[in-house]
Amino acid sequence: SLEDKNALHLYSVNGKYLGSETLKEEVSDLCVTGEYIVMGSLQGFLSIRDLYSLSLSISPLAMRLPIHCISVTKEYSHILVGLEDGKLIIVGVGKPAEV
């Protein structure tokens, strides 16, 4: 964060700069799973971004409270979101019929 500007930067394993994306929210936790980055913000948004392009895969989901931690299940079927008030929100991943 520099002067209220937040950004996500992508580098290769060899340290080559691949790109960046400016963020509107302040990231509190993130998790890299497969080809996606799952991010939670202090503004209460859950975002899923493509790992290579850094573009949003879906519209951010509003949790209404600051997100403190993010975890993805081993089967990539659910996202576990810990909120500031101690609640655990479980978000199903996939098409509605699969969830």
Side-chain angles (χ1 to χ4, degrees), residues 8-52:
L8 185 63
H9 300 283
L10 181 65
Y11 291 87
S12 73
V13 289
N14 297 330
K16 180 181 177 187
Y17 175 77
L18 299 175
S20 65
E21 185 73 26
T22 302
L23 304 175
K24 295 177 183 171
E25 299 94 25
E26 186 176 348
V27 176
S28 56
D29 194 19
L30 65 84
C31 185
V32 177
T33 54
E35 298 181 2
Y36 297 97
I37 302 170
V38 182
M39 298 188 321
S41 72
L42 292 178
Q43 288 73 24
F45 289 100
L46 176 68
S47 305
I48 301 174
R49 293 181 173 271
D50 180 80
L51 179 61
Y52 305 106

Side-chain angles (χ1 to χ4, degrees), residues 72-91:
V72 178
T73 59
K74 190 185 329 181
E75 300 83 21
Y76 306 124
S77 60
H78 294 84
I79 300 170
L80 307 174
V81 182
L83 301 179
E84 182 180 52
D85 65 355
K87 290 181 182 169
L88 176 67
I89 305 296
I90 301 172
V91 180

